[in-house]
Amino acid sequence: LQRALASVYAQTFKPREIIVVDDGSTDETSKIKELFPHVKYFYQKNSGVSSARNLGIKNSTGDWIAFLDSDDEWHKDKLKLHVEFHANNPNTLISYTNEKWIRCGNEVKMPKKFHKEGGNIFKKCLSHCIIAPSATLIHKDLLEEIGNFDEALEVCEDYDMWLRIACKYEIGLINKKLITKHGGADDQLSMKFWGMDRFRVAALEKLFGLKLSKEQEELVKKTLLHKYGLLLKGAVKYDRMSDIGEYKKKLKEIRI
């Protein structure tokens, strides 16, 4: 958290306010106020990453919101380049940047499937999450229209958010590595849950409640067919009888 906040204070374009949400930590995180006395610090009982981000959104006073997870850090010109991008693209209400990956202290090459694109990227976003929350800047008006992070999703809440946006709007890309993502820790959410596609499936199924185009609807169905199949194989492999029945039923329903 100290590293993350230091990267915010080092920005060449200074943010109006810095909000820290402590999601029920037990490791004296509250002492961060002694090192960074100007931050707005909020504590809540452990309620998950979506709830924490939503609390930060609720208590923010600016029109634009940038997120930063505690295990990531911004490069010094990140906010400056966002500001320049939106000045040149005033009708775009969300943008994100490329990123650098560090695993166990070493830089690693980003897999091809995570390569970044801008514009109409709904199709690109369906298979997996290509946008890191720490890489984004988003206008509050867009959040008010689309809705905040889904607190029912323990993980893949960002995947869900970007899909809800991308099915209606273009997403701007600043194709420079302006954040560093540090990975490899056992306590990261991506390491905590088995079958991450279970949560992606929940996000995809929600999309049918939105006004999708016929093409978008077919893309979602195709993606769900693939993911249901993968989850069924996993359920069979680990002898999860209730899951086997569930995914067989879903596969039959979506094919009809």
Side-chain angles (χ1 to χ4, degrees):
L1 181 57
Q2 291 184 42
R3 178 182 63 200
L5 282 172
S7 77
V8 176
Y9 277 84
Q11 290 297 298
T12 52
F13 182 94
K14 305 300 182 186
R16 175 183 298 179
E17 63 185 354
I18 303 171
I19 294 173
V20 172
V21 179
D22 183 342
D23 186 40
S25 70
T26 56
D27 60 357
E28 299 184 327
T29 294
S30 62
K31 290 187 175 180
I32 202 70
K33 294 180 292 183
E34 299 173 9
L35 295 173
F36 301 94
H38 297 297
V39 303
K40 296 180 179 179
Y41 173 86
F42 297 92
Y43 177 89
Q44 67 174 18
K45 180 181 177 182
N46 180 239
S47 303
V49 63
S50 292
S51 175
R53 289 204 193 106
N54 290 343
L55 181 62
I57 293 168
K58 179 182 177 181
N59 286 282
S60 64
T61 61
D63 292 329
W64 292 89
I65 296 174
F67 302 102
L68 179 58
D69 293 344
S70 60
D71 47 2
D72 299 339
E73 59 184 313
W74 289 344
H75 300 185
K76 64 183 180 65
D77 289 331
K78 181 183 189 293
L79 292 184
K80 173 178 176 287
L81 292 174
H82 276 296
V83 170
E84 291 177 358
F85 176 88
H86 288 284
N88 293 323
N89 300 274
N91 294 323
T92 302
L93 297 183
I94 178 174
S95 62
Y96 76 113
T97 77
N98 212 324
E99 59 205 48
K100 177 181 178 181
W101 286 12
I102 300 293
R103 296 289 181 269
C104 302
N106 299 309
E107 184 173 358
V108 297
K109 185 177 180 180
M110 184 187 301
K112 186 176 180 180
K113 68 177 184 178
F114 290 107
H115 285 191
K116 312 306 179 185
E117 293 182 12
N120 181 4
I121 61 171
F122 180 71
K123 183 177 180 179
K124 177 76 173 179
C125 290
L126 285 169
S127 175
H128 51 275
C129 187
I130 67 166
I131 301 174
S134 298
T136 62
L137 182 74
I138 186 168
H139 199 284
K140 249 185 176 175
D141 287 349
L142 186 54
L143 288 170
E144 289 177 3
E145 177 189 344
I146 299 297
N148 287 349
F149 290 95
D150 186 346
E151 297 183 18
L153 293 173
E154 295 176 271
V155 289
C156 298
E157 78 297 328
D158 48 348
Y159 169 84
D160 168 72
M161 169 71 83
W162 315 140
L163 280 176
R164 285 187 279 128
I165 293 173
C167 73
K168 296 184 68 175
Y169 297 104
E170 292 190 353
I171 296 178
L173 171 65
I174 301 168
N175 200 13
K176 294 183 178 182
K177 294 183 178 181
L178 296 174
I179 70 166
T180 296
K181 292 179 60 63
H182 296 270
D186 292 337
D187 62 347
Q188 289 181 311
L189 287 178
S190 59
M191 306 290 288
K192 182 178 178 181
F193 295 94
W194 73 270
M196 294 286 281
D197 268 341
R198 292 179 300 137
F199 301 97
R200 296 188 187 104
V201 157
L204 288 165
E205 290 171 341
K206 284 172 54 181
L207 291 173
F208 291 122
L210 304 179
K211 293 181 179 179
L212 300 179
S213 69
K214 188 65 177 178
E215 180 184 4
Q216 288 175 333
E217 190 172 303
E218 290 304 314
L219 286 169
V220 173
K221 286 182 178 179
K222 183 178 179 180
T223 306
L224 279 171
L225 273 171
H226 177 66
K227 292 190 181 297
Y228 287 155
L230 291 176
L231 288 167
L232 177 58
K233 288 181 181 178
V236 170
K237 180 178 180 180
Y238 295 103
D239 201 26
R240 297 177 179 272
M241 299 307 297
S242 62
D243 291 333
I244 291 173
E246 176 186 356
Y247 292 119
K248 281 184 175 180
K249 181 181 177 182
K250 287 179 179 291
L251 277 166
K252 183 179 179 181
E253 289 174 346
I254 202 166
R255 284 194 177 111
I256 292 175

